[in-house]
């Protein structure tokens, strides 16, 4: 197999597995169905079953084993039938949209420190007397 088709297989597999468990899964499954429609025999049934089984992946998780499986499968299919390249290219061009509403924030405090953090909003904080820290007895 030439290097270009190998890279295409890897890109198609990555796009397919990345879409599993997301809102793009139905589109990815449709595009992969276009590839599988041109496959004959037991291999088609095997890959269709794997596609259904692996579609239950956790949202946002990309399983490296699944990427390897689909890269190998697409590589074999493209090696046997280079005309599938157009369909695999459509799958590979499927991109998970950026999610601007997801932000990761890491806050840390040490040595009895306190952290007060907020994102996309307003934080209100009030503190009362620290009578038990002052050493005085009530």
């Amino acid at each position: 197999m030439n290097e270009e088709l190998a890279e295409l297989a890897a890109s198609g597999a990555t796009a397919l597995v990345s879409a599993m468990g997301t809102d793009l899964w139905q589109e990815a499954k449709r595009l992969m169905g276009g590839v599988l429609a041109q496959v004959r025999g037991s291999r088609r049934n095997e890959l269709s079953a794997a596609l259904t089984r692996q579609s239950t992946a956790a949202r946002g998780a990309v399983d490296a084993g699944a990427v390897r499986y689909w890269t190998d499968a697409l590589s074999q299919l493209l090696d046997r039938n280079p005309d599938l390249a157009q369909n695999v290219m459509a799958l590979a061009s499927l991109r998970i949209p950026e999610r601007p509403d997801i932000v990761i924030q890491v806050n840390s405090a040490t040595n009895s420190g306190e952290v007060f953090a907020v994102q996309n909003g307003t934080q209100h904080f009030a503190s009362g007397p620290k009578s038990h820290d002052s050493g005085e007895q009530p």
Side-chain angles (χ1 to χ4, degrees):
M1 167 178 279
N2 72 39
E3 188 175 322
E4 191 174 297
L5 288 179
E7 288 178 17
L8 179 59
S11 294
T14 301
L16 178 68
V17 175
S18 296
M20 291 178 177
T22 72
D23 296 337
L24 288 177
W25 175 240
Q26 292 305 316
E27 179 64 12
K29 193 172 169 182
R30 183 189 70 75
L31 291 169
M32 188 62 191
V35 173
L36 295 179
Q38 297 181 48
V39 177
R40 301 287 174 242
S42 62
R43 186 67 173 150
R44 179 180 182 175
N45 295 337
E46 176 190 332
L47 293 175
S48 293
L51 190 63
T52 301
R53 184 176 55 251
Q54 291 183 355
S55 69
T56 60
R59 179 173 290 274
V62 178
D63 179 6
V67 172
R68 278 190 304 276
Y69 175 86
W70 287 107
T71 298
D72 290 345
L74 289 172
S75 293
Q76 291 171 11
L77 295 175
L78 287 167
D79 196 36
R80 290 185 188 124
N81 183 0
D83 292 337
L84 290 173
Q86 195 70 16
N87 294 68
V88 177
M89 198 174 303
L91 178 63
S93 68
L94 185 65
R95 295 287 176 245
I96 306 295
E98 297 271 338
R99 296 280 313 258
D101 58 328
I102 296 177
V103 178
I104 297 172
Q105 177 174 327
V106 178
N107 302 304
S108 161
T110 59
N111 299 324
S112 300
E114 296 178 305
V115 174
F116 303 94
V118 66
Q119 286 183 340
N120 302 322
T122 304
Q123 182 179 60
H124 301 279
F125 176 76
S127 177
K130 295 184 177 184
S131 62
H132 55 244
D133 288 341
S134 65
E136 298 176 22
Q137 292 190 12

Coordinates of all heavy atoms in Angstrom, one line a residue, residues 53-100:
R53 N -21.1 -2.4 17.5 CA -20.6 -2.7 18.8 C -19.7 -1.5 19.4 O -19.9 -1.1 20.5 CB -19.7 -3.9 18.7 CG -19.2 -4.4 20.1 CD -18.5 -5.8 19.9 NE -17.3 -5.7 19.0 CZ -17.3 -6.3 17.8 NH1 -18.4 -7.0 17.4 NH2 -16.3 -6.2 17.0
Q54 N -18.9 -0.9 18.5 CA -18.0 0.2 19.0 C -18.7 1.5 19.1 O -18.1 2.4 19.7 CB -16.8 0.2 18.2 CG -15.9 -1.0 18.4 CD -14.6 -0.9 17.6 OE1 -14.4 0.0 16.8 NE2 -13.7 -1.9 17.7
S55 N -19.9 1.6 18.6 CA -20.6 2.9 18.7 C -21.0 3.3 20.1 O -21.5 4.4 20.3 CB -21.8 2.9 17.7 OG -22.8 2.0 18.2
T56 N -20.9 2.4 21.0 CA -21.3 2.7 22.4 C -20.1 3.3 23.2 O -20.2 3.3 24.4 CB -21.7 1.4 23.1 OG1 -20.7 0.4 23.1 CG2 -23.0 0.8 22.4
A57 N -19.1 3.8 22.5 CA -18.0 4.4 23.2 C -18.4 5.6 24.0 O -19.5 6.2 23.8 CB -17.0 4.9 22.2
A58 N -17.7 5.9 25.1 CA -18.0 7.0 26.0 C -17.8 8.3 25.2 O -17.0 8.5 24.4 CB -17.1 7.0 27.2
R59 N -18.7 9.3 25.5 CA -18.7 10.6 24.9 C -17.3 11.2 25.1 O -16.8 11.4 26.2 CB -19.8 11.5 25.5 CG -19.8 12.9 24.9 CD -20.9 13.7 25.3 NE -22.2 13.2 24.8 CZ -22.7 13.5 23.6 NH1 -22.1 14.4 22.9 NH2 -23.8 13.0 23.2
G60 N -16.7 11.6 24.0 CA -15.4 12.3 24.0 C -14.2 11.5 24.2 O -13.1 12.0 24.1
A61 N -14.4 10.2 24.4 CA -13.2 9.3 24.6 C -12.8 8.7 23.3 O -13.6 8.3 22.5 CB -13.6 8.2 25.6
V62 N -11.5 8.7 23.1 CA -10.9 8.2 21.8 C -10.1 7.0 22.2 O -9.1 7.1 22.9 CB -10.1 9.2 21.0 CG1 -9.5 8.5 19.8 CG2 -11.0 10.3 20.6
D63 N -10.5 5.8 21.9 CA -9.9 4.5 22.3 C -8.8 4.2 21.2 O -9.1 4.0 20.0 CB -10.9 3.4 22.3 CG -10.3 2.1 22.7 OD1 -9.1 2.0 23.0 OD2 -11.1 1.1 22.6
A64 N -7.5 4.2 21.7 CA -6.4 3.9 20.8 C -6.5 2.6 20.1 O -6.2 2.4 18.9 CB -5.1 4.1 21.5
G65 N -7.0 1.6 20.8 CA -7.2 0.3 20.2 C -8.2 0.3 19.1 O -8.1 -0.4 18.1
A66 N -9.3 1.1 19.3 CA -10.3 1.2 18.2 C -9.7 1.9 17.0 O -10.0 1.5 15.9 CB -11.5 1.9 18.8
V67 N -8.9 2.9 17.2 CA -8.3 3.6 16.1 C -7.4 2.6 15.3 O -7.4 2.6 14.1 CB -7.5 4.8 16.6 CG1 -6.7 5.5 15.4 CG2 -8.4 5.9 17.2
R68 N -6.6 1.8 16.1 CA -5.8 0.8 15.4 C -6.6 -0.2 14.6 O -6.3 -0.5 13.4 CB -4.9 0.1 16.4 CG -3.6 0.8 16.8 CD -2.7 -0.1 17.6 NE -3.3 -0.7 18.8 CZ -3.4 0.0 20.0 NH1 -2.9 1.2 20.1 NH2 -4.0 -0.6 21.0
Y69 N -7.7 -0.6 15.2 CA -8.6 -1.6 14.5 C -9.1 -1.0 13.2 O -9.0 -1.7 12.1 CB -9.7 -2.0 15.4 CG -10.8 -2.9 14.8 CD1 -10.6 -4.3 14.7 CD2 -11.9 -2.3 14.1 CE1 -11.5 -5.1 14.1 CE2 -12.8 -3.2 13.5 CZ -12.6 -4.5 13.5 OH -13.5 -5.3 12.8
W70 N -9.6 0.2 13.3 CA -10.2 0.8 12.1 C -9.2 1.2 11.1 O -9.4 1.2 9.9 CB -11.2 1.9 12.4 CG -12.4 1.4 13.0 CD1 -12.8 1.4 14.3 CD2 -13.4 0.6 12.3 NE1 -14.0 0.7 14.5 CE2 -14.4 0.3 13.3 CE3 -13.6 0.3 11.0 CZ2 -15.6 -0.5 13.0 CZ3 -14.8 -0.5 10.7 CH2 -15.7 -0.8 11.6
T71 N -8.0 1.6 11.5 CA -6.9 1.9 10.6 C -6.5 0.7 9.8 O -6.4 0.7 8.6 CB -5.7 2.5 11.4 OG1 -6.0 3.7 12.0 CG2 -4.5 2.8 10.4
D72 N -6.4 -0.4 10.5 CA -6.0 -1.7 9.8 C -7.1 -2.1 8.9 O -6.8 -2.5 7.7 CB -5.8 -2.8 10.8 CG -4.5 -2.7 11.7 OD1 -3.7 -1.8 11.3 OD2 -4.4 -3.3 12.7
A73 N -8.4 -2.0 9.3 CA -9.5 -2.4 8.4 C -9.5 -1.5 7.2 O -9.7 -2.0 6.1 CB -10.8 -2.3 9.2
L74 N -9.4 -0.2 7.4 CA -9.5 0.7 6.2 C -8.3 0.5 5.3 O -8.4 0.6 4.1 CB -9.6 2.2 6.7 CG -11.0 2.6 7.3 CD1 -10.9 4.0 7.9 CD2 -12.1 2.5 6.2
S75 N -7.1 0.2 5.9 CA -5.9 0.0 5.1 C -6.1 -1.2 4.2 O -5.8 -1.2 3.0 CB -4.7 -0.2 6.0 OG -4.4 0.9 6.7
Q76 N -6.7 -2.3 4.8 CA -6.9 -3.5 4.0 C -7.9 -3.3 2.9 O -7.7 -3.7 1.8 CB -7.4 -4.6 4.9 CG -6.4 -5.1 5.9 CD -6.9 -6.1 6.9 OE1 -8.1 -6.5 6.8 NE2 -6.1 -6.4 7.9
L77 N -9.0 -2.5 3.2 CA -10.0 -2.2 2.2 C -9.5 -1.4 1.1 O -9.7 -1.6 -0.1 CB -11.2 -1.5 2.9 CG -12.0 -2.4 3.9 CD1 -13.1 -1.5 4.5 CD2 -12.6 -3.6 3.2
L78 N -8.7 -0.4 1.4 CA -8.1 0.5 0.4 C -7.0 -0.3 -0.4 O -6.9 0.0 -1.6 CB -7.5 1.7 1.0 CG -8.4 2.8 1.6 CD1 -7.7 3.8 2.5 CD2 -9.1 3.5 0.4
D79 N -6.3 -1.2 0.2 CA -5.3 -2.0 -0.5 C -6.0 -2.8 -1.6 O -5.5 -3.0 -2.7 CB -4.5 -2.8 0.5 CG -3.3 -3.4 -0.1 OD1 -2.6 -2.7 -0.9 OD2 -2.9 -4.5 0.2
R80 N -7.1 -3.4 -1.2 CA -7.9 -4.3 -2.1 C -8.7 -3.5 -3.2 O -8.9 -3.9 -4.3 CB -8.9 -5.1 -1.4 CG -8.2 -6.2 -0.6 CD -9.2 -7.1 0.1 NE -8.5 -8.0 1.0 CZ -8.9 -8.1 2.3 NH1 -9.9 -7.4 2.8 NH2 -8.2 -8.9 3.1
N81 N -9.1 -2.3 -2.8 CA -9.9 -1.5 -3.7 C -9.6 0.0 -3.5 O -10.3 0.7 -2.7 CB -11.4 -1.7 -3.4 CG -12.3 -1.0 -4.4 OD1 -11.9 -0.3 -5.3 ND2 -13.6 -1.1 -4.2
P82 N -8.6 0.5 -4.2 CA -8.2 1.9 -4.1 C -9.3 2.9 -4.5 O -9.3 4.1 -4.1 CB -7.0 2.1 -5.1 CG -6.5 0.7 -5.3 CD -7.7 -0.2 -5.1
D83 N -10.4 2.4 -5.2 CA -11.5 3.3 -5.5 C -12.3 3.8 -4.3 O -13.1 4.7 -4.4 CB -12.4 2.6 -6.5 CG -11.8 2.4 -7.9 OD1 -10.8 3.2 -8.2 OD2 -12.2 1.5 -8.6
L84 N -12.1 3.1 -3.2 CA -12.8 3.5 -1.9 C -12.2 4.8 -1.3 O -12.8 5.3 -0.4 CB -12.6 2.4 -0.9 CG -13.4 1.1 -1.1 CD1 -13.1 0.1 -0.1 CD2 -14.9 1.4 -1.1
A85 N -11.1 5.3 -1.9 CA -10.4 6.4 -1.3 C -11.4 7.6 -1.2 O -11.3 8.4 -0.2 CB -9.2 6.8 -2.2
Q86 N -12.2 7.8 -2.2 CA -13.1 9.0 -2.2 C -14.1 8.9 -1.0 O -14.3 9.9 -0.3 CB -13.9 9.0 -3.5 CG -14.6 10.4 -3.7 CD -13.6 11.5 -4.0 OE1 -12.5 11.2 -4.3 NE2 -14.1 12.7 -3.9
N87 N -14.6 7.7 -0.7 CA -15.5 7.5 0.5 C -14.7 7.7 1.8 O -15.3 8.3 2.7 CB -16.2 6.2 0.4 CG -17.1 6.0 -0.8 OD1 -16.6 6.0 -1.9 ND2 -18.4 5.9 -0.5
V88 N -13.5 7.2 1.9 CA -12.7 7.3 3.1 C -12.3 8.7 3.3 O -12.3 9.2 4.4 CB -11.5 6.3 3.0 CG1 -10.7 6.5 4.3 CG2 -12.0 4.9 2.9
M89 N -12.1 9.4 2.2 CA -11.7 10.8 2.3 C -12.9 11.7 2.9 O -12.7 12.6 3.7 CB -11.3 11.4 0.9 CG -10.6 12.7 1.0 SD -9.9 13.3 -0.6 CE -9.0 11.9 -1.1
A90 N -14.1 11.3 2.5 CA -15.3 12.0 3.1 C -15.3 11.8 4.6 O -15.6 12.7 5.3 CB -16.5 11.6 2.4
L91 N -15.1 10.5 5.0 CA -15.1 10.2 6.4 C -14.0 10.9 7.1 O -14.2 11.5 8.2 CB -14.9 8.7 6.6 CG -14.8 8.2 8.0 CD1 -16.1 8.4 8.7 CD2 -14.5 6.7 8.0
A92 N -12.8 11.0 6.5 CA -11.6 11.6 7.1 C -11.8 13.1 7.3 O -11.3 13.7 8.2 CB -10.4 11.4 6.3
S93 N -12.6 13.7 6.4 CA -12.9 15.2 6.5 C -13.9 15.6 7.6 O -14.1 16.7 7.9 CB -13.3 15.7 5.2 OG -14.6 15.2 4.8
L94 N -14.5 14.6 8.2 CA -15.5 14.8 9.2 C -14.7 15.3 10.5 O -13.8 14.6 10.9 CB -16.2 13.5 9.6 CG -17.4 13.6 10.6 CD1 -18.5 14.4 10.1 CD2 -17.9 12.2 10.9
R95 N -15.1 16.4 11.0 CA -14.4 17.0 12.1 C -15.3 17.3 13.2 O -16.4 17.8 13.0 CB -13.7 18.3 11.7 CG -12.6 18.1 10.7 CD -11.4 17.5 11.4 NE -10.3 17.2 10.4 CZ -9.9 16.0 10.1 NH1 -10.5 14.9 10.6 NH2 -9.0 15.8 9.2
I96 N -14.9 17.0 14.4 CA -15.6 17.3 15.6 C -15.5 18.8 15.8 O -14.4 19.4 15.9 CB -15.0 16.6 16.9 CG1 -14.9 15.1 16.6 CG2 -15.8 16.9 18.1 CD1 -16.3 14.4 16.4
P97 N -16.7 19.5 15.9 CA -16.6 21.0 16.1 C -16.0 21.4 17.4 O -16.1 20.6 18.4 CB -18.0 21.4 16.0 CG -18.8 20.2 16.3 CD -18.0 19.0 15.9
E98 N -15.3 22.5 17.5 CA -14.8 23.0 18.7 C -16.0 23.3 19.7 O -17.0 23.7 19.3 CB -14.1 24.3 18.4 CG -12.9 24.2 17.5 CD -11.6 23.9 18.3 OE1 -11.6 24.2 19.5 OE2 -10.7 23.4 17.7
R99 N -15.7 23.0 20.9 CA -16.8 23.2 21.9 C -16.4 24.4 22.8 O -15.7 24.2 23.8 CB -17.0 22.0 22.8 CG -17.5 20.8 22.1 CD -19.0 20.8 21.8 NE -19.7 21.1 23.0 CZ -20.4 20.3 23.7 NH1 -20.3 19.0 23.5 NH2 -21.1 20.7 24.7
P100 N -16.7 25.6 22.4 CA -16.3 26.8 23.2 C -17.0 26.8 24.6 O -16.5 27.5 25.5 CB -16.8 28.0 22.4 CG -17.9 27.5 21.6 CD -17.6 26.0 21.3

